[in-house]
Amino acid sequence: MAAFDTKEGVISPGGIGFDINCGMRLVTTNLTFKDVKPKLIKLVDTLFRTVPAGVGSRGFVKVDKKQFIEIMESGVKWCVDNNYGWKDDLKKCEGHGVIDWADHSQVSEKAISRGLNQLGTLGSGNHYLEIQLVKASNIFDEKTAKVFGIHTPDQIVVMVHCGSRGFGHQIASDYLKVFDQSMKKYNIQVNDRELSCAPFSSEEGQKYYKAMACAANMAFANRQVILHRIREGFEKIFNKKAEEMEMNLIYDVAHNIAKVEKHKIDGKIKELVVHRKGSTRAFPPNHDELPSSYKKIGQPVIIGGSMETGSYLLVGTEKAMQETFGTTAHGSGRTMSRTQAKKQVRGEQLQKDMQKRGIYVKAVSMPGLAEEAGLAYKDINEVVDSLDKAGISKPVCSFKPIGNIKG
Amino acid sequence: MKYKILDHTADVMFEVYGKTLNELFKNAATAIFDTMVKRSTIKIKIKKEIELESSNVEQLLFDFIEELIYIKDAEYLIFKDFKIKIKDNKLTAILEGDKINPKKQILLTDVKAITLHKFSLKKSKQGYKAVIIPDL
């Protein structure tokens, strides 16, 4: 992460990430492993069909350009207004699932035509939709877990990891070129052109900040319509209403984004543009931005591990506010290249091995699956342990995957 | 050799070669589409002509790759072969491929963008050499 003074500092598309508002979404159910196990294959197969993934996939939400503009300026609100979500979903998203400084006039036609048909798609690479299990022994803070709706041993939750798809990538690409050119004008030099930047207060900087918000809103909306599909899928398989299955959103949090926030530096409150690339906001209890039900416990932080090892739910802390501008990690991170992983693992074999271990995985691409093998990632337990020891977020519980959909 | 894959932890890094600029651009496009699809499974049914012009030839390569990624998402097209002509920082290319169809083609990992990280195009003893790191 990086934080700059809004008056003197810069904004950098490369420092935010090309997949603008790539993020995590976590949903509860009141189902247990016993309920889900007999229908797991049917459930995963259904979601694999209804939440498209992989190269060139098209989403189920058909919108025209006018509606897409509404989405990029109103995010999750558009989804709820159009019956793709519940009112309560809005409260459980970072910033209510909408960034209000979004301005569609700063977005290129190219970005719009890339994004128009992608609403409701997972994408590929490390993006996934996962059915997970909370074992009693993996609940570290029972009281906080209960506030999040995690209360029963062997309870099932659903996690989604995806972002703004081609739309966000095109916006980042468009502005990377603008900034690469404008650096001469502002006399800025960088070691890596990928980190090209412009003064935050400059015309270029402000235009990008508004366009970035459009991509962030599209990503929030994308994860929201995917949640709608997940609820529909569960309703079909378990023949119960999603409300009855308590399929409530715990939280939706971005891990590639920049926002203007107030932070204390040397005893003084300053306005900063905080870049979080591959890092998660981790605000402490009593922060203004938290939904009322989470005020006492702090902001939920969702950290994804590899598809073989599992993921974590944590909460933000005061120490994160003091030491890391209210920021923590976002995932386990790769330790091995995709090429190397494919040399060591075959997708088909990995799929079989995982099924033996109780994880049913459906993937669009078998080589793509091999690239995401657990051995290519750092140990998530060690990553979370280091966050805990540093005090920048506090583990609540961990999840084991039982069903996975990969692009 | 058309291109070599070099180790890069998060994404993938290509070193692309060509005796001529035309050949280098063709090999760069090949590397990008080899990442996304088993190209032998594409039957050529569509030919699309594009023209691009940039301030220099390195920028032209960047713009060309970006255009390929854009066409893939906006028009759902995936390409097997490329006929390329470059003259005075201007490119004319005929892209040969088909509509994306997971039932017909073996699709692999999506290329979402081209990055400027380590990006370069240089003259070498054998002709030209480029380094490309796409975002996957």
Side-chain angles (χ1 to χ4, degrees):
Chain A
M1 62 82 49
F4 301 96
D5 188 295
T6 50
K7 290 186 196 80
E8 294 161 18
V10 296
I11 185 165
S12 163
I16 287 161
F18 271 48
D19 191 358
I20 297 164
N21 190 5
C22 185
M24 306 292 291
R25 186 169 265 243
L26 181 62
V27 187
T28 58
T29 75
N30 60 11
L31 305 173
T32 63
F33 184 53
K34 224 172 83 190
D35 304 321
V36 173
K37 200 186 169 204
K39 292 178 176 171
L40 181 67
I41 290 177
K42 231 175 150 186
L43 176 67
V44 172
D45 288 352
T46 300
L47 294 174
F48 185 74
R49 247 192 350 266
T50 60
V51 185
V55 182
S57 52
R58 297 176 202 223
F60 72 101
V61 183
K62 303 283 173 242
V63 289
D64 57 23
K65 194 180 153 189
K66 190 174 157 273
Q67 289 167 312
F68 195 68
I69 287 171
E70 281 172 41
I71 292 166
M72 64 174 101
E73 293 188 347
S74 64
V76 174
K77 192 179 172 299
W78 182 89
C79 306
V80 174
D81 289 347
N82 287 275
N83 300 320
Y84 294 115
W86 303 344
K87 275 212 172 96
D88 191 60
D89 296 341
L90 282 165
K91 291 184 203 160
K92 302 289 171 57
C93 293
E94 174 175 334
H96 294 260
V98 55
I99 295 181
D100 59 10
W101 61 85
D103 175 1
H104 78 273
S105 67
Q106 305 309 333
V107 172
S108 69
E109 284 297 322
K110 265 186 146 177
I112 294 172
S113 50
R114 267 185 85 176
L116 203 56
N117 292 312
Q118 293 185 328
L119 204 63
T121 59
L122 264 185
S124 84
N126 62 0
H127 293 164
Y128 61 82
L129 189 167
E130 211 164 68
I131 316 286
Q132 301 171 340
L133 159 71
V134 199
K135 289 188 173 161
S137 57
N138 289 336
I139 300 179
F140 318 114
D141 179 348
E142 221 169 288
K143 220 170 122 189
T144 307
K146 263 194 187 137
V147 178
F148 291 141
I150 294 168
H151 40 65
T152 312
D154 287 350
Q155 193 175 333
I156 298 297
V157 299
V158 188
M159 189 176 277
V160 177
H161 175 216
C162 65
S164 50
R165 310 282 289 104
F167 181 60
H169 279 86
Q170 192 63 42
I171 289 174
S173 295
D174 289 345
Y175 280 92
L176 182 69
K177 275 203 256 185
V178 172
F179 286 20
D180 188 44
Q181 291 302 313
S182 71
M183 281 198 299
K184 280 178 221 131
K185 182 166 87 182
Y186 296 113
N187 202 16
I188 298 172
Q189 283 166 354
V190 288
N191 292 332
D192 180 350
R193 282 169 76 198
E194 186 63 13
L195 290 175
S196 294
C197 56
F200 180 67
S201 56
S202 67
E203 194 189 339
E204 293 88 348
Q206 283 302 301
K207 280 185 169 179
Y208 170 67
Y209 191 52
K210 289 169 187 166
M212 179 215 72
C214 291
N217 287 337
M218 188 276 188
F220 280 131
N222 191 30
R223 291 193 290 272
Q224 179 63 40
V225 297
I226 287 174
L227 169 58
H228 178 74
R229 280 302 229 203
I230 294 169
R231 284 173 176 153
E232 279 183 346
F234 271 76
E235 284 180 339
K236 194 177 154 207
I237 299 298
F238 296 99
N239 211 11
K240 276 189 202 173
K241 295 298 278 178
E243 289 88 345
E244 206 184 321
M245 288 182 279
E246 294 173 17
M247 297 190 71
N248 301 316
L249 181 58
I250 294 182
Y251 208 58
D252 179 309
V253 71
H255 54 226
N256 276 357
I257 202 158
K259 283 180 165 181
V260 172
E261 293 170 2
K262 287 186 173 113
H263 290 270
K264 205 186 253 182
I265 296 173
D266 300 330
K268 276 187 195 160
I269 300 284
K270 277 204 151 192
E271 207 177 57
L272 308 171
V273 53
V274 180
H275 292 57
R276 295 191 179 95
K277 179 183 192 287
S279 55
T280 313
R281 199 181 76 173
F283 283 169
N286 298 316
H287 196 284
D288 288 347
E289 286 261 346
L290 296 186
S292 56
S293 52
Y294 298 163
K295 268 268 151 51
K296 284 187 184 157
I297 52 177
Q299 181 214 299
V301 170
I302 306 160
I303 296 199
S306 80
M307 61 185 177
E308 293 187 72
T309 50
S311 308
Y312 274 81
L313 175 64
L314 303 89
V315 277
T317 62
E318 193 51 50
K319 202 168 175 202
M321 216 54 193
Q322 289 162 8
E323 296 194 353
T324 53
F325 302 97
T327 308
T328 188
H330 86 303
S332 40
R334 294 189 78 90
T335 156
M336 186 188 284
S337 72
R338 292 173 181 280
T339 322
Q340 198 58 40
K342 274 188 288 195
K343 277 183 196 157
Q344 297 201 12
V345 184
R346 283 193 61 82
E348 290 84 355
Q349 192 58 45
L350 178 64
Q351 192 180 33
K352 279 184 201 152
D353 290 347
M354 284 174 70
Q355 191 152 11
K356 274 185 207 154
R357 278 181 278 137
I359 310 167
Y360 178 62
V361 52
K362 282 278 275 191
V364 174
S365 151
M366 281 301 143
L369 184 70
E371 290 176 5
E372 293 299 318
L375 61 89
Y377 281 86
K378 288 176 203 149
D379 182 341
I380 183 73
N381 301 315
E382 283 178 23
V383 172
V384 169
D385 193 42
S386 65
L387 300 175
D388 190 18
K389 280 185 180 141
I392 55 171
S393 39
K394 201 167 74 80
V396 176
C397 57
S398 72
F399 311 105
K400 288 280 163 214
I402 59 165
N404 184 301
I405 291 163
K406 275 258 165 227
Chain B
M1 197 191 301
K2 289 177 182 170
Y3 67 88
K4 199 159 83 182
I5 298 174
L6 303 176
D7 228 29
H8 186 270
T9 312
D11 295 300
V12 64
M13 178 155 61
F14 296 117
E15 200 169 84
V16 186
Y17 314 100
K19 284 193 194 95
T20 61
L21 277 175
N22 293 351
E23 199 179 294
L24 179 120
F25 273 59
K26 178 188 159 97
N27 292 344
T30 304
I32 293 297
F33 280 95
D34 278 343
T35 311
M36 292 196 272
V37 60
K38 204 167 171 191
R39 275 188 312 117
S40 59
T41 62
I42 304 175
K43 276 190 185 160
I44 295 171
K45 286 191 177 160
I46 292 168
K47 291 185 184 181
K48 184 178 171 70
E49 192 174 327
I50 59 166
E51 282 178 27
L52 293 170
E53 188 176 355
S54 304
S55 53
N56 59 66
V57 75
E58 190 181 72
Q59 190 61 44
L60 187 64
L61 177 64
F62 187 90
D63 293 345
F64 173 55
I65 305 283
E66 197 190 89
E67 188 68 15
L68 294 175
I69 296 167
Y70 165 72
I71 293 169
K72 177 260 305 171
D73 273 349
E75 298 179 31
Y76 294 97
L77 294 176
I78 202 140
F79 301 109
K80 183 176 189 168
D81 207 359
F82 314 87
K83 306 269 184 322
I84 290 162
K85 272 185 204 155
I86 294 163
K87 207 184 163 194
D88 305 331
N89 304 330
K90 277 186 205 163
L91 168 143
T92 314
I94 297 164
L95 317 172
E96 301 179 339
D98 196 4
K99 282 263 175 198
I100 297 176
N101 184 343
K103 286 184 188 129
K104 286 188 191 165
Q105 303 122 10
I106 297 178
L107 299 170
L108 307 169
T109 302
D110 200 10
V111 174
K112 299 163 184 170
I114 171 168
T115 75
L116 276 173
H117 183 49
K118 294 185 176 163
F119 178 75
S120 70
L121 167 55
K122 288 191 176 92
K123 269 200 153 177
S124 68
K125 275 181 199 163
Q126 290 80 24
Y128 293 90
K129 190 172 97 174
V131 174
I132 299 170
I133 301 183
D135 192 73
L136 304 183

